[in-house]
Amino acid sequence: MSQPRTIALDAMGGDHGPSVVVAGAAISLERYPSLSFLFFGDQARVNAELENFPALAAKSRVIHTDTTVGMSDKPSQALRRGKGTSLWLAIEAVQKGEADVVVSAGNTGAFMAMSKLILRPMAGIERPAIAAIWPTVKAECIVLDVGANIGATARQLSDYALMGAAMARALFHVERPTIALLNVGVEEVKGDEEVRQAHAWLKSTGLPLDYRGFIEGDQIGQGAVDVVVVEGFAGNVALKTAEGTARQISEYLKAAMRRTWLSQLGAMLAAGGFRVLKEKMDPRRANGGTFLGLNGIAVKSHGGTDALGFASAVDLAYEMAESRLTTRLAADLAAFHDKLEAMTAS
Amino acid sequence: MSQPRTIALDAMGGDHGPSVVVAGAAISLERYPSLSFLFFGDQARVNAELENFPALAAKSRVIHTDTTVGMSDKPSQALRRGKGTSLWLAIEAVQKGEADVVVSAGNTGAFMAMSKLILRPMAGIERPAIAAIWPTVKAECIVLDVGANIGATARQLSDYALMGAAMARALFHVERPTIALLNVGVEEVKGDEEVRQAHAWLKSTGLPLDYRGFIEGDQIGQGAVDVVVVEGFAGNVALKTAEGTARQISEYLKAAMRRTWLSQLGAMLAAGGFRVLKEKMDPRRANGGTFLGLNGIAVKSHGGTDALGFASAVDLAYEMAESRLTTRLAADLAAFHDKLEAMTAS
């Protein structure tokens, strides 16, 4: 039972701008016919794209903006000069209640900085985080923070766990998501003080989440838990390293299959199998970092993605809007922070 | 022109003890006939294994020990009760000049703690690091620190760069190894203060190394540089995540190839190609973390490896002994620290 939801789109973000954003929205609309869209950007260019998708055009409103945040603008620069850009106005639409979520394929740093300024962190949240959806051999898991902040205190790591749990409930439809802290070993003595303190707190939150302790990097892709919590530097390194390793292996595979005529023939016959593998590894299927911990949901799509990838980010935004993730999260955070104060006071 | 070198082996380390250690040494001896070995451990068990390898037995001496460090002993525990264990005596053989390097598949934490205590850090080194050999699409690179320490100052990161450069010279036979700092972006503003300060220092060392700036995790496997420098928490996470991703993809691949009879047939014909892929991805080929920054070289083999994997660790130890890595590194470190003092004083 899907409700009508409005998604604000930065039509100018990403490497391809309106052509990908509009075509992506059209794909999502087919999947979720109750959606409607606000496009922020160059009206002429957006309208030209919308002409190809009459069904989408009927569910869309275009708000013209003259300016755009550049992909290489610094966040501080974007904050100073960003008012009135397509990105700024798209975020503002969520703050004003005109849209349920905002999606942009634009400059990540600027997007995060503006979202913090316009949407503001939720009560009790020191630092919003960026969550990634990570494909596993079982299905998918959520990993956060993948780069919003460098370093994290025990309190921040615990908050990330709660944010991740809320997102897992929204996307995976599990009531008590399993959660682990990423560490350099699974024994209680491993990790720095912040990680160990977060471990102690998470063991006793009393919240509806299933905390499983520490895991190491090789367990993420095995689908050991629904939510993997880590500070942003290591989280970003993990994400990029996994992407790089996948690319590296697919290069090995291609080279190996070209080696002899027999393996070329074999690869041809096995083309169906390879296609399945390629789909499994398709980064477009899990396209979109989600900013969590703000009064509103913001989804960042990869800048270089195509319409199919952008549609994944829109789908993700829709599913999170649909689940009323922030309302539930706010309640969890309040309960946890109360408990934390009681624990640290005693 | 290989010189006679002696390698001290902890015969009791690892999941399989003497059976793997002795058989691994036998493989290395075939490759490097000038090697000789000191085995530390249960004499009866080691001798029983040596009976299978007469050529090795002729180049080996067995030193009996009654005690062994357990795989799950804490480093502090191992230090207190570790004297006289096979691991302790093997390390001591290097300190006494009886062996050129020590190799163990035992408890990493205990191995590092004992090595620090017995071999001592080199002059000017605050923290030794663990370096891993990472397979890339071009060949291999060195990544350090992969878990000796959590966190690193700018000075420590710079020292890691010098240690990694020394190892690259020894293994890859390049005079000016290329080096990069792992970061969450390639722009100068990215990363925390320590990473940015290390970046500034490495740009102007005047040492024979080719510093290339920041790289992100996806560039490691592309072979962008010879040496990747990172603090130990993120380095460990990167290493484990890459291992996990490789395993994950090989599981996808197997499942995809079993899907239909056509892809099964294709996979059979392409078996040669798959074998090449498997060899490329074989973790035994790059088995061994190296402790750098001590007065002596210590190589850690994976605990669960087989004879072939253990032989890789022995080969690595030999190549580093052969290159007189520590002598050259000591000179580089002294020059760098002098320069650093001059820079920070001015």
Side-chain angles (χ1 to χ4, degrees):
Chain A
M1 252 196 11
S2 61
Q3 300 206 349
R5 298 281 173 203
T6 304
I7 296 187
L9 297 174
D10 167 18
M12 312 310 285
D15 300 346
H16 312 292
S19 64
V20 155
V21 173
V22 171
I27 296 171
S28 288
L29 181 63
E30 276 178 39
R31 294 178 191 154
Y32 302 108
S34 67
L35 279 177
S36 61
F37 297 92
L38 301 178
F39 288 94
F40 295 84
D42 184 309
Q43 194 150 29
R45 286 181 61 196
V46 176
N47 281 335
E49 297 293 337
L50 279 174
E51 273 177 27
N52 304 320
F53 306 98
L56 174 64
K59 305 287 299 278
S60 300
R61 194 153 63 87
V62 182
I63 297 94
H64 180 74
T65 65
D66 278 321
T67 54
T68 305
V69 176
M71 288 303 268
S72 56
D73 289 1
K74 287 185 193 165
S76 54
Q77 213 175 339
L79 280 186
R80 269 198 317 274
R81 300 184 218 151
K83 235 174 182 169
T85 56
S86 55
L87 179 56
W88 182 286
L89 294 178
I91 301 167
E92 218 172 46
V94 174
Q95 188 262 325
K96 289 179 176 164
E98 295 163 2
D100 296 287
V101 281
V102 49
V103 181
S104 173
N107 178 326
T108 309
F111 192 9
M112 179 48 110
M114 284 183 182
S115 297
K116 265 159 92 170
L117 187 74
I118 298 170
L119 299 175
R120 317 296 307 174
M122 294 173 72
I125 287 289
E126 293 166 6
R127 286 176 162 191
I130 303 180
I133 296 175
W134 192 297
T136 73
V137 295
K138 293 182 189 162
E140 287 174 333
C141 70
I142 292 164
V143 179
L144 77 166
D145 174 27
V146 295
N149 310 288
I150 292 176
T153 63
R155 157 85 181 247
Q156 287 157 357
L157 289 170
S158 306
D159 287 349
Y160 292 172
L162 268 60
M163 297 179 203
M167 185 164 160
R169 274 186 218 110
L171 296 185
F172 307 152
H173 310 289
V174 285
E175 192 46 34
R176 283 171 55 86
T178 53
I179 299 189
L181 279 169
L182 194 59
N183 202 346
V184 296
V186 296
E187 305 86 9
E188 295 236 332
V189 297
K190 293 279 182 175
D192 67 7
E193 235 168 87
E194 302 298 338
V195 170
R196 290 201 305 265
Q197 178 63 72
H199 174 72
W201 282 338
L202 287 171
K203 277 199 294 189
S204 59
T205 58
L207 286 170
L209 50 84
D210 183 1
Y211 177 64
R212 298 285 179 90
F214 297 137
I215 62 167
E216 296 186 67
D218 57 341
Q219 289 303 305
I220 308 174
Q222 294 296 308
V225 289
D226 296 319
V227 179
V228 177
V229 173
V230 57
E231 67 80 24
F233 188 94
N236 186 276
V237 163
L239 183 68
K240 301 264 176 73
T241 303
E243 287 172 0
T245 306
R247 196 164 82 227
Q248 179 179 359
I249 294 173
S250 91
E251 283 173 36
Y252 286 162
L253 189 59
K254 270 184 221 147
M257 289 303 134
R258 272 195 308 262
R259 256 184 81 252
T260 65
W261 66 267
L262 207 61
S263 55
Q264 279 171 30
L265 176 64
M268 236 161 66
L269 293 178
F274 281 118
R275 202 163 43 239
V276 171
L277 177 70
K278 218 174 148 185
E279 276 165 26
K280 282 258 185 211
M281 291 170 57
D282 188 346
R284 295 177 306 181
R285 286 179 62 240
N287 178 40
T290 304
F291 300 169
L292 292 175
L294 298 166
N295 295 306
I297 293 163
V299 174
K300 167 70 173 78
S301 162
H302 274 298
T305 198
D306 61 8
L308 208 58
F310 193 80
S312 293
V314 174
D315 292 352
L316 174 64
Y318 171 72
E319 286 169 51
M320 291 203 287
E322 188 62 13
S323 70
R324 303 175 54 77
L325 179 151
T326 43
T327 320
R328 172 77 184 267
L329 174 56
D332 276 5
L333 284 167
F336 175 64
H337 292 155
D338 283 352
K339 173 139 190 179
L340 213 59
E341 266 163 50
M343 280 198 291
T344 47
S346 66
Chain B
M1 250 197 12
S2 61
Q3 300 207 349
R5 298 282 174 202
T6 304
I7 296 187
L9 296 175
D10 167 18
M12 313 309 286
D15 301 344
H16 311 292
S19 64
V20 156
V21 173
V22 172
I27 296 171
S28 287
L29 180 62
E30 276 177 39
R31 295 179 191 153
Y32 302 107
S34 67
L35 280 177
S36 60
F37 296 93
L38 302 178
F39 288 94
F40 295 85
D42 184 309
Q43 194 150 29
R45 287 181 61 195
V46 175
N47 281 335
E49 297 293 337
L50 280 173
E51 274 178 25
N52 305 319
F53 306 100
L56 174 64
K59 304 287 300 278
S60 298
R61 194 153 64 87
V62 183
I63 296 94
H64 181 74
T65 65
D66 278 320
T67 53
T68 304
V69 176
M71 288 301 269
S72 57
D73 289 1
K74 285 185 194 167
S76 55
Q77 215 175 338
L79 280 186
R80 269 199 316 275
R81 301 184 217 150
K83 236 176 183 166
T85 56
S86 55
L87 179 56
W88 183 285
L89 295 178
I91 300 167
E92 218 172 46
V94 174
Q95 188 262 325
K96 289 179 176 164
E98 295 163 3
D100 296 288
V101 280
V102 49
V103 182
S104 173
N107 179 327
T108 309
F111 191 10
M112 178 49 109
M114 285 183 182
S115 297
K116 265 160 91 170
L117 187 74
I118 299 170
L119 299 175
R120 318 296 306 175
M122 295 174 73
I125 287 290
E126 294 165 6
R127 288 176 161 190
I130 303 180
I133 296 176
W134 192 296
T136 73
V137 295
K138 293 181 188 161
E140 287 172 335
C141 71
I142 292 164
V143 179
L144 77 167
D145 174 27
V146 294
N149 311 288
I150 292 177
T153 64
R155 157 84 181 248
Q156 287 156 359
L157 289 170
S158 305
D159 287 349
Y160 293 172
L162 267 59
M163 297 180 203
M167 185 163 161
R169 275 186 217 110
L171 297 186
F172 308 151
H173 310 288
V174 284
E175 192 45 34
R176 284 171 54 86
T178 53
I179 299 189
L181 279 169
L182 194 59
N183 202 346
V184 295
V186 296
E187 305 85 9
E188 296 237 330
V189 296
K190 292 281 182 175
D192 67 6
E193 235 168 87
E194 302 298 339
V195 169
R196 290 201 305 265
Q197 178 63 71
H199 174 73
W201 282 339
L202 287 171
K203 277 199 294 189
S204 58
T205 59
L207 286 169
L209 51 84
D210 183 0
Y211 176 65
R212 297 286 180 91
F214 297 138
I215 62 166
E216 296 186 66
D218 57 342
Q219 290 303 305
I220 307 173
Q222 294 296 307
V225 289
D226 296 318
V227 179
V228 178
V229 174
V230 57
E231 67 79 23
F233 188 94
N236 186 277
V237 163
L239 183 68
K240 302 264 175 71
T241 302
E243 286 172 2
T245 306
R247 197 163 82 227
Q248 179 179 0
I249 294 173
S250 92
E251 284 172 36
Y252 286 162
L253 189 59
K254 271 184 221 148
M257 289 303 133
R258 273 196 305 264
R259 255 185 80 253
T260 65
W261 67 266
L262 207 61
S263 55
Q264 280 171 30
L265 176 65
M268 235 161 66
L269 293 178
F274 281 118
R275 203 161 45 238
V276 170
L277 177 69
K278 218 174 149 186
E279 275 164 25
K280 281 259 183 209
M281 289 171 59
D282 189 348
R284 296 177 306 183
R285 285 179 65 238
N287 179 41
T290 304
F291 300 168
L292 292 175
L294 299 166
N295 295 306
I297 293 163
V299 175
K300 166 70 173 75
S301 162
H302 274 298
T305 198
D306 61 8
L308 207 59
F310 193 79
S312 292
V314 174
D315 292 352
L316 174 64
Y318 170 73
E319 285 169 52
M320 290 201 288
E322 187 62 13
S323 70
R324 303 176 52 77
L325 178 150
T326 43
T327 322
R328 172 77 184 267
L329 175 56
D332 276 5
L333 284 168
F336 175 64
H337 292 155
D338 283 352
K339 173 138 190 176
L340 212 59
E341 265 163 51
M343 279 199 290
T344 47
S346 67

